[in-house]
Amino acid sequence: MPEFAKMNYFGHERALPNWFWTGETKMNCLSKSIKQSLEHAYAHHIQRLMVTGNFALLAGIHPDALDEWYLGIYIDAIEWVEITNTRGMSQFADGGIVGTKPYVSSANYIQKMGNYCSNCVYEYGKKTGEKACPFNSLYWRFYEVNRPLLEKNPRIGMMYVTLNKMSDTHKKELFEQAEKYLSGIESL
Amino acid sequence: MKTLRLLLGDQLNLQHSWFKQKEENVLYAMFEMRQETDYAKHHIQKIVGFFAAMREMADTLEKNGHKVIYYKINDTSNKQDLGLNLTQLILEYDITHFEYQAPDEYRLSSQLEQICKSLKITHEVYTTEHFLVSQDFLGKMFQGKKQVILESFYRTVRKQYGFLMEGSEPEGGKWNYDHDNRKKWNGTPAVPKGFPVHNEVSAIFEEIKTSECVYIGEIKPSDFLWPINRSQSLKVLEFFCKEALPHFGSFQDAMDQKEPWLFHSRLSFALNTKMLHPKEVVEAAITAYKNNPEAISLAQVEGFIRQIAGWREYMRGIYWW
Ligand code: SF4
């Protein structure tokens, strides 16, 4: 469907950080995945989905900017396969045509499936405070901000049970941490 | 009657029925164009890969006795625009009929429809004969539906082609072995060594630099690691089946900061340019598994087939829905 190219379910507007074009970020998973993409015009599907795509969705990057990036950087990217994977599968910008829920994760998944975290400036186990991995606070912020769109999704409901159980102080810390990271996104 | 047949950069299917016969009155056209290099900021390896593979295809067609007009990126007669190049050739060669294969993108599909409207000659559209699921069948599966579930789509393709089927039942009794396929990789088993494709692409790289098109990314022109013709693509397929498939499924979700390829097939470029057909890719994986079930378990091969016969075809269905 030609409309697919315009879909932006979450209304994301943020510009793509410049380091997407260089890999110059302290977040080791992103740095390595992007540098590898620049070196080989390739990253495998989990790197595309759970590292670059995951971060972009959590940070609320405009899907147009992201499409342009994926379409350009990968040797196999042709619109029919790129846009459905990026906007649909990865960004949930289609509101659930391709997937049934957004593919987001905290540092936990990245740590579990790879070895990036052991060489990272950030600490994957930390949610707030100095050196807390940005994925962790951004993850909870994503669910909080998009509550009206996601809370009723039966595949996500559990996340809100957990989120609702958190103390207000903890939530405040988490969301403040996330906002702080987002406002300094270029130097993450 | 003289026919012009267009081949786009991702239509490098040498097995297409167009090429079964040599025809005196058929002229094939292939263009390296700024309209294609400039619609996004592409990786340099992407531009080099496409141009190199297009040139190889043109050479092979000529060797097989077909007539080919090929515009390189810096050729002076190249207008860098599909419509202008086609109109020019139609005039120059007194073409009376135009044919093309349906593009996979809306962008090119609507551009070609526009071009055909303005042409004074007849035209005909063919399929690329590439995908497992035809446009007609996609129509039947997707039209009027609110949602098409990947799993049922995938099962339909498996049944239709008999991939890993025992009659109407999936081999092994299960359709999906994803649960066996979620392992982290800690350095063992060793990743495959001895990748079979190493191309020298300095000349094309220089031409692209001269053309001043904008690109991103790095390239090692003396050692370009993507296949640029069918026989190289088949070698990558063979390499994958022998060396990587035994562990593909187990580690398909694993990430490693030093090993970009792990056990992945590296076939996406060959497939998306249509140098390889998905059916031959799936069949090669199944044959490898049948010949060596001790080394390649059903879970590995099913995980791979799900990507090619399920996910990839499904994405195309969604795109054209
Ligand atoms: S700690 Fe966070 S940023 Fe660093 S590699 Fe792990 S997931 Fe990525």
Side-chain angles (χ1 to χ4, degrees), chain B residues 15 25 58 75 148 205:
Chain B
Q15 319 291 96
N25 291 320
D75 284 352
V148 179
F205 179 45

Side-chain angles (χ1 to χ4, degrees), chain B residues 48-159:
Chain B
V48 165
F50 270 92
F51 287 2
M54 287 165 70
R55 291 181 188 191
E56 291 278 320
M57 169 92 170
D59 280 352
T60 309
L61 288 179
E62 273 180 340
K63 275 195 201 107
N64 295 347
H66 301 282
K67 289 188 194 153
V68 185
I69 304 285
Y70 193 97
Y71 284 173
K72 290 185 176 176
I73 191 73
N74 297 324
D75 284 352
T76 44
S77 40
N78 186 348
K79 302 272 188 251
Q80 309 292 345
D81 170 273
L82 184 55
L84 295 177
N85 279 344
L86 286 171
T87 329
Q88 175 167 285
L89 288 188
I90 287 168
L91 271 176
E92 197 180 328
Y93 291 91
D94 281 324
I95 301 295
T96 52
H97 182 66
F98 172 57
E99 297 183 341
Y100 66 95
Q101 300 177 12
D104 290 330
E105 293 156 87
Y106 287 117
R107 184 178 62 85
L108 286 161
S109 177
S110 55
Q111 189 183 7
L112 275 161
E113 276 168 29
Q114 286 305 320
I115 291 169
C116 286
K117 267 187 210 149
S118 70
L119 292 179
K120 304 265 178 308
I121 59 173
T122 53
H123 74 273
E124 193 172 346
V125 188
Y126 288 73
T127 83
T128 56
E129 302 175 5
H130 174 78
F131 290 98
L132 296 171
V133 182
S134 70
Q135 278 280 8
D136 280 355
F137 199 73
L138 279 182
K140 277 187 212 124
M141 277 173 119
F142 279 81
Q143 214 152 46
K145 301 270 170 60
K146 271 185 103 176
Q147 185 137 33
V148 179
I149 306 294
L150 167 69
E151 192 61 31
S152 62
F153 179 93
Y154 168 61
R155 290 180 189 186
T156 309
V157 180
R158 285 262 304 265
K159 283 186 219 157

Side-chain angles (χ1 to χ4, degrees), chain A residues 27-29 107 110 116-117 120 122-124 133 135:
Chain A
M27 293 180 284
N28 191 43
C29 54
I110 298 173
Y116 299 114
C117 298
C120 189
Y122 297 102
E123 289 174 24
Y124 72 87
C133 170
F135 279 88

